[in-house]
């Protein structure tokens, strides 16, 4: 988590490419507006603060990064003052939250709300159909969530991506329409490019030639042949990015531009990927520690200036030093596959539910008003950056331009942020829109956005929408995917290292199909078609 706690990373996550998401209304229009508001018959106001006429206490369950007591956090204290709703916290450490969540569902001793809930599609369908989680669309459409309603109306794909097969919405996503990366991309060592006097490769053959020159021409200038052209940790860090070179959008199920669903590990593009990686392995252009090293061991090679091409969230996480534009984001390269390269871009919404309301909740209307605030500019600002005057202030309030303040008591801003807001180190409900970090972006953040717009966005597409399978379909798909994943990853390592000759490709594909890959595609094609038609 240390890497993701870098301030520049958080700002990047808040401010990547130009967003498709419209601002969720001015402060006068959204739930952040103060004032009397209109009270509903239940004593819950549909507008303004406080939300409730009488004090209300709700139990909330969440995962917790463990930095500070939530009850002492300025953000939560401010939210209680605004809303009139007091929260009782049932928190679990991140690494044990999944177990605790399962126990809570099994016991029936439910909190009123689940926050940063990490609710898988199957959990939403199962616990929603059982009545444990309540449908949310009624409260959204009846005026208790104006920001969410506006978001859904302007982005209907988001609404249908969180509507289960029975027509209900049981959980809410985190929405970031500016997001580009699913995970950290590939980076070149800029010093190596400069030493070899080369521009970025544009084809797989040019990439091969560059990697070969790295091995043979001593670009780090130490007189030793210790350069490592390409490194990885079990191929898990580079697989998705490299798949795009052969026209595949994802390392799991994906749909192409025509809406046809694919399982990549039986595609001709995958054969091309394996052939290329095997070529690199045989000529020691792919690190022979790939299947045995740890991320820290990979990083040590980077800090020793041995790596030419590698994966990380940012290049300086591996190479050391400070953020800079010296090391370019890798331009995806073209292969023999028609239409390549492509890039599997972040879909702009979380794949899992981040918020839900249980059947034990005494006031779903108040709970929806409370969570709806996080989908407004004011709420996103509060929960991401804390109250005004703590870490930031407005430089130009009318145009929403902010500036950083010194960290109270000194120290790292991002670490201090973890003490004032629960939105730290966990995926939480709410939105990201560019205005939230307006004025706070660094030159490095601007450069990253430029790299994304130039190299990834033009060839990018979300690999697959957030679809729902029925309980029966989900059980079948989970079983098939589990067995297939184990087999294809074992075979990938064997093909790449030459333990299994590529002459056995047809035999391998026959085995994958025998294990149910076509049935897996059929299940997800059906779910995709339902999603696509809104049924």
């Amino acid at each position: 988590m240390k890497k993701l706690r870098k301030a520049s990373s958080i700002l990047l996550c808040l401010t990547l490419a130009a967003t498709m998401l419209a601002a969720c209304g001015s402060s006068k229009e959204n739930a952040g507006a103060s004032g009397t508001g209109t009270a509903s018959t239940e004593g819950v106001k549909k507008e303004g603060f406080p939300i409730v006429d009488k004090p209300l206490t709700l139990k909330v369950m969440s995962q917790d990064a463990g930095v500070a007591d939530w009850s002492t956090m300025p953000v939560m204290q401010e939210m209680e003052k605004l809303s009139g709703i007091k929260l009782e916290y049932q928190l679990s450490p991140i690494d044990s939250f999944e177990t605790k969540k399962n126990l809570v569902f099994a016991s029936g001793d439910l909190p009123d709300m689940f926050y940063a809930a990490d609710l898988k599609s199957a959990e939403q369908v199962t616990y929603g159909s059982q009545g444990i989680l309540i449908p949310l669309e009624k409260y959204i459409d009846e005026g208790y969530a104006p920001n969410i309603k506006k978001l859904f109306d302007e982005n209907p794909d988001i609404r249908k991506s969180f509507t289960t097969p029975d027509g209900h919405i049981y959980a809410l996503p985190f929405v970031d329409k500016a997001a580009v990366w699913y995970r950290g991309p590939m980076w070149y060592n800029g010093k190596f490019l400069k030493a070899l006097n080369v521009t970025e490769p544009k084809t797989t053959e040019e990439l091969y030639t560059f990697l070969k020159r790295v091995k043979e021409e001593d670009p780090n200038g130490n007189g030793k042949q210790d350069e490592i052209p390409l490194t990885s940790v079990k191929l898990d860090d580079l697989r998705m990015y490299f798949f795009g070179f052969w026209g595949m959008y994802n390392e799991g199920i994906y749909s192409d531009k025509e809406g046809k669903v694919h399982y990549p590990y039986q595609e001709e593009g995958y054969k091309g990927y394996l052939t290329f990686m095997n070529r690199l392995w045989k000529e020691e252009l792919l690190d022979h520690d790939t299947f045995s090293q740890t991320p820290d061991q990979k990083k040590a090679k980077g800090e020793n200036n041995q790596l030419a091409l590698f994966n990380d969230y940012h290049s300086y996480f591996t190479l050391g030093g400070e953020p800079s534009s010296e090391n370019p984001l890798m331009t995806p390269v073209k292969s023999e596959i028609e239409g390549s390269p492509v890039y599997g871009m972040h879909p702009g919404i979380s794949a899992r539910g981040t918020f839900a309301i249980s059947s034990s909740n005494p006031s779903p209307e108040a709970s929806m008003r409370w969570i709806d605030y996080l989908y407004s500019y004011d709420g996103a600002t509060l929960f991401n950056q804390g109250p005004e005057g703590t870490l930031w202030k407005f430089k130009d309030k009318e145009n929403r331009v902010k500036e950083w303040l010194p960290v109270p008591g000194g120290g790292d801003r991002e670490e201090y942020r973890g003490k004032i807001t629960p939105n730290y180190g966990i995926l939480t409900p709410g939105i990201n829109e560019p205005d939230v970090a307006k004025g706070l972006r660094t030159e490095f953040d601007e450069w990253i956005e430029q790299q994304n717009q130039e190299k990834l966005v033009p060839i990018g597409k979300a690999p697959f929408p957030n679809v729902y399978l029925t309980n029966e379909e989900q059980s079948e798909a989970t079983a098939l995917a589990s067995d297939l994943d184990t087999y294809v990853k074992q075979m990938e390592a064997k093909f790449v290292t030459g333990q299994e000759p590529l002459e056995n490709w047809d035999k391998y594909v026959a085995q994958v199909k025998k294990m149910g890959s076509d049935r897996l595609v059929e299940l997800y094609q059906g779910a995709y078609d339902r999603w696509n038609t809104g049924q």
Side-chain angles (χ1 to χ4, degrees):
M1 289 308 301
K2 285 183 180 177
K3 292 180 180 178
L4 290 176
R5 290 174 187 173
K6 294 278 188 180
S8 61
S9 306
I10 298 297
L11 273 181
L12 171 68
C13 186
L14 288 172
T15 59
L16 278 170
T19 186
M20 293 162 54
L21 175 64
C24 285
S26 71
S27 59
K28 290 181 181 178
E29 294 168 336
N30 66 33
S34 59
T36 307
T38 305
S40 76
T41 54
E42 298 87 358
V44 179
K45 297 171 186 171
K46 291 185 175 181
E47 297 175 357
F49 282 133
I51 290 170
V52 288
D53 291 338
K54 298 177 182 178
L56 175 66
T57 299
L58 297 172
K59 297 175 184 175
V60 61
M61 179 181 181
S62 182
Q63 47 189 322
D64 175 23
V67 178
D69 182 345
W70 284 28
S71 64
T72 67
M73 289 180 175
V75 166
M76 303 312 281
Q77 292 174 340
E78 176 72 11
M79 192 62 180
E80 183 177 337
K81 279 193 292 183
L82 280 172
S83 67
I85 298 172
K86 179 178 177 59
L87 297 182
E88 292 181 356
Y89 303 108
Q90 300 175 1
L91 306 177
S92 294
I94 294 170
D95 56 3
S96 61
F97 177 74
E98 190 69 21
T99 301
K100 183 68 182 294
K101 180 177 65 174
N102 291 337
L103 288 173
V104 164
F105 278 125
S107 70
D109 184 14
L110 300 168
D112 300 314
M113 303 187 294
F114 291 89
Y115 185 89
D118 196 31
L119 287 164
K120 296 185 281 292
S121 297
E123 291 174 326
Q124 295 169 46
V125 171
T126 299
Y127 299 124
S129 63
Q130 292 175 1
I132 295 173
L133 300 178
I134 68 168
L136 306 180
E137 69 277 359
K138 170 187 173 186
Y139 306 103
I140 295 170
D141 294 333
E142 289 181 358
Y144 293 100
N147 294 299
I148 297 171
K149 179 74 161 64
K150 187 172 190 289
L151 179 66
F152 283 179
D153 288 349
E154 293 178 355
N155 302 272
D157 278 4
I158 297 177
R159 181 170 190 139
K160 69 182 184 181
S161 292
F162 267 75
T163 300
T164 59
D166 64 4
H168 293 304
I169 298 170
Y170 295 110
L172 297 175
F174 171 72
V175 178
D176 182 1
K177 296 299 288 185
V180 175
W181 302 346
Y182 251 124
R183 60 176 66 193
M186 302 296 296
W187 303 93
Y188 284 112
N189 185 326
K191 291 177 180 175
F192 284 18
L193 290 172
K194 194 172 181 180
L196 296 174
N197 192 28
V198 295
T199 55
E200 278 196 61
K202 297 295 190 292
T203 67
T204 50
E205 200 57 37
E206 288 178 10
L207 177 60
Y208 165 79
T209 300
F210 166 71
L211 297 176
K212 194 166 179 63
R213 287 189 64 193
V214 168
K215 180 175 173 58
E216 297 173 350
E217 298 181 29
D218 190 31
N220 68 9
N222 65 358
K224 303 175 185 176
Q225 200 179 70
D226 63 345
E227 290 85 355
I228 299 167
L230 174 66
T231 194
S232 177
V233 177
K234 296 180 176 61
L235 302 179
D236 291 337
D237 47 2
L238 66 72
R239 187 182 296 112
M240 184 168 173
Y241 207 86
F242 269 49
F243 270 23
F245 307 166
W246 283 270
M248 299 174 291
Y249 284 96
N250 194 14
E251 57 186 313
I253 288 285
Y254 71 90
S255 60
D256 61 26
K257 290 177 180 177
E258 284 71 49
K260 182 182 178 185
V261 174
H262 298 261
Y263 180 68
Y265 299 97
Q266 60 189 25
E267 303 275 325
E268 276 302 305
Y270 183 59
K271 183 181 181 182
Y273 158 84
L274 291 176
T275 302
F276 185 76
M277 300 303 284
N278 174 248
R279 181 185 185 190
L280 299 186
W281 181 272
K282 284 192 292 190
E283 299 190 33
E284 297 187 4
L285 306 181
L286 173 60
D287 193 348
H288 277 206
D289 291 337
T290 285
F291 295 101
S292 59
Q293 70 180 341
T294 65
D296 284 342
Q297 289 170 327
K298 182 184 85 168
K299 183 178 178 181
K301 294 171 182 176
E303 292 176 340
N304 201 35
N305 198 29
Q306 292 177 266
L307 302 181
L309 180 61
F310 55 91
N311 169 280
D312 210 327
Y313 196 78
H314 288 313
S315 62
Y316 68 93
F317 289 172
T318 290
L319 298 180
E322 296 299 315
S324 84
S325 58
E326 181 182 32
N327 307 303
L329 184 152
M330 183 190 191
T331 301
V333 295
K334 181 176 178 58
S335 70
E336 68 279 6
I337 298 294
E338 187 178 350
S340 65
V342 300
Y343 176 70
M345 204 156 70
H346 197 288
I349 60 174
S350 57
R352 295 186 175 183
T354 56
F355 178 86
I357 297 176
S358 81
S359 56
S360 67
N361 191 305
S363 182
E365 297 86 355
S367 302
M368 284 303 299
R369 277 293 323 280
W370 188 94
I371 197 61
D372 184 66
Y373 184 56
L374 276 67
Y375 291 83
S376 71
Y377 168 81
D378 291 336
T381 291
L382 175 65
F383 273 75
N384 280 300
Q385 296 157 357
E388 182 180 2
T390 303
L391 283 176
W392 64 277
K393 68 176 182 179
F394 276 114
K395 191 175 182 179
D396 176 359
K397 189 165 187 177
E398 186 178 350
N399 293 303
R400 293 179 168 176
V401 180
K402 302 170 184 168
E403 62 182 342
W404 290 121
L405 295 172
V407 177
D412 182 79
R413 182 183 294 116
E414 192 56 22
E415 290 179 7
Y416 187 83
R417 195 179 72 86
K419 297 176 182 178
I420 65 172
T421 178
N423 288 22
Y424 180 80
I426 53 178
L427 184 64
T428 55
I431 62 160
N432 162 40
E433 53 174 313
D435 274 7
V436 172
K438 197 173 180 181
L440 304 178
R441 293 161 28 126
T442 65
E443 284 186 17
F444 180 69
D445 297 324
E446 299 283 359
W447 176 75
I448 290 290
E449 180 177 327
Q450 175 265 321
Q451 292 278 290
N452 283 329
Q453 290 297 322
E454 179 185 314
K455 299 176 177 180
L456 301 181
V457 173
I459 60 170
K461 182 186 85 71
F464 203 65
N466 189 53
V467 302
Y468 291 88
L469 302 176
T470 65
N471 282 326
E472 295 76 15
E473 290 172 337
Q474 187 66 62
S475 296
E476 185 181 2
T478 299
L480 290 172
S482 177
D483 291 343
L484 280 164
D485 187 61
T486 300
Y487 177 69
V488 298
K489 296 295 169 54
Q490 288 174 347
M491 292 302 293
E492 178 187 46
K494 290 180 179 180
F495 279 130
V496 170
T497 60
Q499 293 177 48
E500 185 78 19
L502 280 157
E503 289 78 10
N504 290 344
W505 168 257
D506 290 343
K507 179 181 172 185
Y508 156 79
V509 171
Q511 178 61 25
V512 169
K513 288 177 177 289
K514 184 179 178 182
M515 294 176 71
S517 60
D518 286 344
R519 174 57 179 161
L520 193 65
V521 168
E522 185 182 344
L523 288 167
Y524 279 98
Q525 185 72 63
Y528 177 88
D529 292 342
R530 289 196 299 266
W531 174 87
N532 199 37
T533 57
Q535 295 176 346

